[in-house]
RNA sequence: GCUCCCAUCGUCUAGCGGUCUAGGACGUCGCCCUCUCACGGCGAAAACAGGGGUUCGAGUCCCCUUGGGAGCGCCA
């Protein structure tokens, strides 16, 4: 390794950090880590109209949440405008660029003509060799690159291979606008060069830009970086994943209950593979990631697979961590569920205790929280349709029948509870399920839940007896309802 | 329209000329486990877009067609 690898992630703060950007950032981060290099972050905010502070915040927060950390200070492109101008001026002085006074109207006309003649729309170079003395009085010129008119421009890409453009198909792009501000094309080249970027890993949509940027590098006499243009991520329907097609910001994935580790794992396998391995710890990802295994074709985003991965990471996560993550989501998930901004200590303890059974059955944090509703909802819990149907007269009679036995259980631990329930079922000639399901319905309001005896242990003896009495057949058990708190 | 990129199960992908009667994962469907649901285990259905070449031999190389996608701004 002759020179240390430097990659960069360079989003423009005109919106949230979307899934494609997140993967690009992840790839840059992994590649830099893999080679012991650095990943820099540059905010491309030269579009003053559309750039916002909120978007910058969303991008930074999104990266942090995803666990992608950049090296050094964030570079703000707009702050480097003077340097960009200086580069354009040097090109002008060297004769590699020139002033162009063409008006918007003329440009429009050129594109029109080109299209009509079946040529790629491009600037015709009318000011390329024209005497500046002919410039219309008072007109502010732009500075255009004097691009090579013949020959070809080649991009050796680590993903796409060798891509060749005929120079006649590329026009003299604008480097500096008439108001003296740099264009994206110039700014990127100058910044990547100044920041010492060795590898540009970005979306496929920049492939053509790589050709044009190569011409700028050449004119400046600089060495081009290594390129790796990764295929875009499409929506489930195969169409481009854009804001209009329901693309979500990374914060939306957080609120949907996905874990950063799961998202990283899902994203790294979207467009990149390592034999048949599907699950990667961060260390494994860093160790295995490399450019040659990046695929060339675009991938569709598949929520089902993300959910599966999320379930995997949920099951692996320590119980306390999940509760903490749940708590972090309370501001957005709590209100609709009657929960505040935090869990009180008692509920918190119950959640931790119930978590082993809860997390095994959920794909997302939202599902974890919902399936735990019997711990924080009303008592007795409202019955859903299936639970209501299940609690017919016979079932309610069974509830009444087991009440005395349960009142005797001590200590109130899962094995002891299970022993009593089983012996009751056996003695009365019921199958365990005939007793367990009514109990489940009475205690949770649903027909599905974590293991019944674990649920009972977490709920506590008094609460269980109260809930069972509330649903049991015996009339004299009813008054006890009010005592159930 | 022009330039460029892409093409293996529904989806993500393995495959880098012969070991492919094409492998894994998600999803789907069965069966087992079982107090429910999950988890887990076992099994099934499911793909080399089409056509030409090259080669003793092509999913793998070349060309065309078709189908996707991206880019063509004094946006980034």
């Amino acid at each position: 390794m002759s020179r240390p690898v430097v990659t960069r992630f360079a989003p423009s703060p005109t919106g949230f950090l979307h899934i494609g950007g997140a993967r690009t950032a992840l790839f840059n981060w992994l590649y830099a880590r893999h080679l012991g290099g650095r990943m820099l972050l540059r905010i491309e905010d030269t579009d003053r109209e559309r750039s916002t502070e909120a978007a910058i915040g969303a991008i930074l927060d999104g990266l942090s949440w995803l666990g992608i950390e950049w090296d050094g200070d964030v570079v703000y492109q707009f702050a480097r405008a003077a340097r960009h101008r200086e580069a354009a001026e040097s090109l002008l002085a060297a004769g590699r660029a020139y002033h162009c006074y063409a008006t918007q109207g003329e440009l429009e006309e050129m594109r029109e003509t080109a299209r009509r003649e079946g040529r790629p729309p491009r600037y015709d170079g009318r000011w390329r060799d024209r005497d500046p003395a002919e410039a219309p009085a008072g007109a502010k010129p732009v500075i255009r690159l004097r691009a090579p008119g013949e020959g070809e421009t080649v991009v050796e890409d680590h993903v796409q291979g060798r891509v060749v453009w005929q120079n006649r198909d590329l026009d003299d792009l604008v480097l500096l606008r008439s108001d003296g501000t740099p264009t994206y094309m110039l700014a990127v080249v100058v910044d990547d060069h100044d920041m010492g970027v060795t590898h540009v890993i970005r979306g496929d949509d920049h492939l053509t830009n790589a050709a044009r940027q190569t011409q700028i590098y050449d004119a400046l006499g600089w060495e081009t970086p290594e390129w790796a243009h990764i295929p875009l991520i499409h929506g489930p329907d195969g169409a481009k994943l854009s804001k209009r097609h329901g693309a979500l910001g990374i914060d939306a994935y957080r609120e949907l209950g996905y874990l950063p580790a799961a998202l990283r794992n899902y994203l790294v396998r979207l467009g990149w593979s390592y034999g048949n391995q599907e699950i990667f710890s961060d260390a494994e990802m860093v160790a295995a990631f490399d450019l040659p295994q990046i695929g060339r074709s675009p991938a569709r985003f598949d929520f089902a697979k993300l959910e599966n991965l999320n379930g995997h990471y949920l099951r692996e996560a320590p119980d306390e961590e999940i509760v903490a993550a749940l708590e972090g989501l309370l501001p957005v998930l709590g209100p609709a569920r009657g929960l505040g901004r935090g869990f009180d200590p008692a509920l918190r303890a119950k959640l931790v205790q119930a978590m082993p059974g809860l997390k095994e059955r959920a794909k997302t944090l939202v599902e974890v929280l919902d399936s735990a509703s019997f711990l924080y909802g009303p008592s007795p819990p409202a019955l859903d349709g299936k639970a209501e149907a299940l609690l017919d007269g016979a079932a309610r009679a069974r509830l009444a029948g087991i009440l005395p036995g349960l009142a005797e259980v001590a200590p109130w631990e899962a094995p002891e509870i299970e022993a009593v329930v089983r012996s009751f079922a056996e003695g009365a000639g019921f199958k365990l399920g005939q007793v367990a399901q009514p109990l489940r319905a009475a205690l949770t309001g649903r027909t599905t839940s974590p293991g019944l005896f674990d649920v009972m242990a977490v709920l506590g003896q008094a609460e269980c007896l109260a809930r069972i009495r509330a649903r049991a057949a015996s009339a004299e058990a009813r008054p006890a309802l009010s005592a159930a708190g």
Side-chain angles (χ1 to χ4, degrees):
Chain A
M1 230 138 297
S2 51
R3 53 179 181 172
V5 163
V6 177
T7 65
R8 47 68 155 184
F9 176 54
S12 62
T14 54
F16 44 51
L17 174 65
H18 57 84
I19 205 70
R23 187 188 56 160
T24 299
L26 178 65
F27 280 20
N28 275 287
W29 179 71
L30 287 173
Y31 191 64
R33 287 288 177 277
H34 176 69
L35 263 19
R38 302 191 301 144
M39 182 190 89
L40 309 179
L41 178 62
R42 182 174 70 233
I43 300 294
E44 310 216 316
D45 55 352
T46 54
D47 184 341
R48 304 315 288 170
E49 295 292 307
R50 298 195 295 154
S51 297
T52 65
E53 278 301 317
I56 293 174
I59 291 169
L60 264 33
D61 288 349
L63 289 175
S64 300
W65 177 74
L66 241 195
I68 295 174
E69 60 232 346
W70 57 92
D71 298 297
D73 294 330
V74 176
V75 173
Y76 290 87
Q77 192 161 60
F78 181 68
R80 296 177 38 80
R83 164 63 176 146
H84 301 147
R85 198 173 309 124
E86 172 191 312
E89 236 102 69
S90 78
L91 247 20
L92 196 61
R96 305 299 301 260
Y98 60 91
H99 284 298
C100 168
Y101 295 87
T103 64
Q104 290 297 340
E106 290 179 275
L107 260 19
E108 200 66 34
E109 203 179 301
M110 282 178 227
R111 281 193 277 270
E112 204 50 44
T113 310
R115 180 174 293 257
R116 201 165 39 235
E117 294 172 1
R119 291 181 292 108
R122 48 159 291 190
Y123 170 69
D124 66 5
R126 62 182 56 178
W127 284 93
R128 196 177 158 106
D129 299 307
R130 200 151 150 195
D131 186 343
E134 295 178 40
K140 288 274 192 197
V142 299
I143 294 181
R144 281 184 186 274
L145 177 73
R146 191 185 299 279
E150 0 185 276
E152 45 193 36
T153 292
V154 178
V155 168
E156 293 286 356
D157 192 273
H158 283 279
V159 176
Q160 309 296 346
R162 180 188 172 89
V163 185
V164 181
W165 282 266
Q166 296 307 311
N167 286 335
R168 77 175 102 85
D169 292 330
L170 272 11
D171 63 357
D172 292 347
L173 61 272
V174 173
L175 299 173
L176 209 64
R177 302 190 186 98
S178 49
D179 66 359
T181 61
T183 60
Y184 161 78
M185 221 55 90
L186 203 226
V188 168
V189 169
V190 174
D191 288 348
D192 281 340
H193 171 266
D194 290 359
M195 289 163 75
V197 172
T198 61
H199 295 255
V200 171
I201 302 171
R202 79 231 293 196
D204 216 352
D205 49 338
H206 285 286
L207 186 57
T208 325
N209 291 339
R212 318 193 77 181
Q213 285 160 16
T214 293
Q215 296 186 331
I216 300 178
Y217 275 102
D218 290 347
L220 251 9
W222 296 340
E223 197 182 330
T224 55
E226 299 287 316
W227 309 105
H229 289 90
I230 62 183
L232 268 19
I233 298 175
H234 291 170
D237 59 351
K240 185 191 180 187
L241 199 60
S242 65
K243 282 128 207 146
R244 308 171 276 288
H245 282 91
L248 303 172
I250 215 71
D251 57 314
Y253 290 88
R254 186 178 88 94
E255 293 176 9
L256 250 17
Y258 295 110
L259 265 19
L263 207 49
R264 281 197 297 274
N265 199 145
Y266 177 69
L267 252 20
V268 80
R269 282 286 288 100
L270 212 53
W272 175 85
S273 62
Y274 191 67
N276 280 335
Q277 188 170 346
E278 298 284 347
I279 303 290
F280 293 85
S281 67
D282 287 344
E284 288 175 319
M285 259 184 226
V286 168
F289 191 83
D290 206 352
L291 270 16
Q293 301 105 306
I294 296 178
R296 287 150 303 271
S297 54
R300 297 186 188 204
F301 193 88
D302 181 17
F303 273 99
K305 188 149 185 174
L306 205 213
E307 291 217 330
N308 173 270
L309 243 14
N310 206 58
H312 170 85
Y313 282 98
L314 220 36
R315 268 171 261 133
E316 278 200 343
D319 302 329
E320 294 77 7
E321 255 172 51
I322 296 177
V323 174
L326 243 26
E327 205 149 24
L329 284 174
L330 243 26
V332 336
L333 299 182
R337 295 166 177 75
L339 288 164
R341 304 207 126 231
F343 297 127
D344 62 66
L347 175 54
R348 209 192 151 80
K350 283 186 201 168
L351 284 170
V352 171
Q353 194 188 341
M355 200 46 71
L358 254 17
K359 68 185 184 185
E360 188 169 304
R361 293 164 172 75
K363 303 282 192 204
T364 67
L365 289 171
V366 176
E367 287 180 20
V368 171
L369 192 59
D370 282 339
S371 62
S373 66
F374 65 90
L375 290 177
Y376 58 77
S379 175
L383 303 177
D384 69 15
K386 288 179 186 169
E388 181 78 63
L390 186 140
L391 285 177
D392 56 14
R396 288 176 189 264
R398 266 169 261 152
L399 288 182
I402 197 171
L403 229 22
L406 286 176
E408 304 288 298
V409 176
W412 188 257
E413 302 288 348
E416 284 72 17
I417 300 167
E418 176 166 3
V420 168
V421 175
R422 278 187 188 278
S423 76
F424 167 78
E426 223 169 287
F430 296 124
K431 289 201 286 192
L432 183 57
Q434 288 177 288
V435 178
Q437 279 303 81
L439 280 172
R440 188 187 315 280
L443 295 170
T444 69
R446 304 178 186 183
T447 53
T448 68
S449 80
L452 179 65
F453 309 115
D454 295 324
V455 166
M456 294 175 82
V458 175
L459 244 19
Q461 191 165 26
E463 180 64 21
C464 283
L465 294 177
R467 290 186 182 191
I468 294 166
R469 269 189 213 106
R471 304 301 180 191
S474 149
E476 74 259 13
R478 296 285 165 148
L481 206 168
S482 56

